[in-house]
Amino acid sequence: MTASPEIQEIAIVTGASTGIGAATARELARQGFHVLAGVRRDVDAEAIRATGIEPLILDITNPEHIQALATRVQGDSQGRAVRALVNNAAIQANVPIEAFALDQWRAMFEVNLFGQVAVTQTLLPALIASRGRIINISSVGGKVAMAAYGPYAATKFAFEAVSDSLRRELSPHGVHVIVIEPGAVRTAMLGRAIATAGELVSAMTPEQRQRYGALVHAVNEQAISSTKSGVPAQAAATVIAKAIAARKPRTRYTVGREAALLTMVRFLPDRVLDRVLAAALRPHYPKLPSVYDA
């Protein structure tokens, strides 16, 4: 299904400043949708603005921003239906559970789960009226919780559960809820996650740095290595557009070879999976004393 220029429909993409969100906004506009692209800053709005893309300042943890989005949708001058909501906004930090303060846990859940739920709740009447689609961007971290991915994986596991329940609730009303599970995708999100990890390591106690410094180093090096060989953001955008267009979409789509493999290995016994993940991480540990151990 491609939106007709004569009967243009609205697609909403949160977290559209960079990466998967920006690529998705451009792909959907190319296919004829009028895209409301949620961004955090004016400079991002100007960067994404284009034919078919209308940027909106949208912090999904801000109720006023969400209400402004709903008002924009309800007051659309052309009376266009909402075909799709792409819940993409997210933050990430690769850090051991002991070293991640509770207020940081809460902040991550506010963005990665509660904000997504708030946007979805607000737009559900319009999506039900149009029998539209909800596309929730999860992660392989929503299936496998690797070392130092605990907080991020916790939000994504929860987002997967919400998606399953929502799909079953909305199916009788003609609304498809679809989960996208990307693996390694070349985006700016990794750089931000590594920078955040560095800040958190510097705030650790000496004992925590001794326990986890080398682990954080290895996790970040592994992430950098896998991302270099990962797929471009456009690959994820293509899958998302396919999920919106499919007459009978699947409940889940993976993006990239790594995602497909990890969603399969999760069926291994726990101890076996522990050994597999540890072996994959081992080559990335520092060969010499790490700055993380200082």
Side-chain angles (χ1 to χ4, degrees), residues 125-180:
L127 287 159
I128 291 171
S130 67
R131 299 173 72 88
R133 304 220 167 153
I134 298 171
I135 312 294
N136 288 337
I137 311 303
S138 180
S139 164
V140 294
K143 295 295 187 184
V144 179
M146 297 178 286
Y149 281 80
Y152 179 72
T155 66
K156 292 302 185 179
F157 268 70
F159 200 28
E160 295 259 355
V162 166
S163 300
D164 284 340
S165 185
L166 191 65
R167 183 182 70 253
R168 291 157 186 155
E169 292 166 3
L170 296 180
S171 178
H173 305 286
V175 177
H176 289 282
V177 178
I178 302 153
V179 174
I180 308 295

Side-chain angles (χ1 to χ4, degrees), residues 22-288:
T24 299
R26 294 187 177 105
E27 177 62 23
L28 294 179
R30 187 186 68 78
Q31 295 197 15
F33 289 95
H34 183 80
V35 180
L36 301 181
V39 299
R40 293 289 301 276
R41 304 177 302 167
D42 290 335
V43 64
D44 298 324
E46 291 310 309
I48 195 70
R49 191 185 304 277
T51 301
I53 300 179
E54 177 186 342
L56 299 174
I57 299 298
L58 178 62
D59 175 349
I60 64 171
T61 68
N62 186 324
E64 293 181 359
H65 288 190
I66 296 173
Q67 186 53 53
L69 170 62
T71 300
R72 167 64 187 84
V73 169
Q74 293 162 4
D76 185 67
S77 60
Q78 298 183 36
R80 292 172 286 205
V82 179
R83 171 51 47 192
L85 165 62
V86 182
N87 284 314
N88 171 70
I91 57 176
Q92 181 177 355
N94 300 333
V95 61
I97 289 169
E98 180 186 357
F100 204 52
L102 280 179
D103 61 340
Q104 294 164 328
W105 278 86
R106 293 187 180 103
M108 185 169 286
F109 267 89
E110 284 292 340
V111 177
N112 292 5
L113 183 66
F114 303 138
Q116 313 283 12
V117 171
V119 172
T120 301
Q121 287 178 331
T122 301
L123 294 176
L124 264 180
L127 287 159
I128 291 171
S130 67
R131 299 173 72 88
R133 304 220 167 153
I134 298 171
I135 312 294
N136 288 337
I137 311 303
S138 180
S139 164
V140 294
K143 295 295 187 184
V144 179
M146 297 178 286
Y149 281 80
Y152 179 72
T155 66
K156 292 302 185 179
F157 268 70
F159 200 28
E160 295 259 355
V162 166
S163 300
D164 284 340
S165 185
L166 191 65
R167 183 182 70 253
R168 291 157 186 155
E169 292 166 3
L170 296 180
S171 178
H173 305 286
V175 177
H176 289 282
V177 178
I178 302 153
V179 174
I180 308 295
E181 296 168 339
V185 179
R186 298 195 296 272
T187 72
M189 186 175 182
L190 173 62
R192 292 192 295 269
I194 290 174
T196 300
E199 294 168 3
L200 293 169
V201 167
S202 67
M204 286 182 188
T205 66
E207 292 80 9
Q208 289 173 341
R209 284 199 297 274
Q210 185 176 19
R211 276 196 288 273
Y212 305 119
L215 169 65
V216 173
H217 174 90
V219 166
N220 287 334
E221 287 300 311
Q222 183 186 53
I224 291 169
S225 175
S226 63
T227 299
K228 285 179 180 177
S229 60
V231 299
Q234 179 58 40
T238 300
V239 172
I240 293 166
K242 176 182 177 181
I244 293 172
R247 189 171 64 87
K248 292 184 178 180
R250 304 204 302 264
T251 59
R252 281 174 171 78
Y253 294 80
T254 58
V255 178
R257 178 174 172 271
E258 176 194 53
L261 288 173
L262 279 176
T263 54
M264 289 188 291
V265 300
R266 67 190 174 91
F267 294 108
L268 294 172
D270 288 343
R271 297 299 185 188
V272 174
L273 181 55
D274 289 350
R275 290 194 291 272
V276 168
L277 295 177
L281 189 60
R282 196 171 297 120
H284 301 283
Y285 273 85
K287 303 299 186 296
L288 297 172

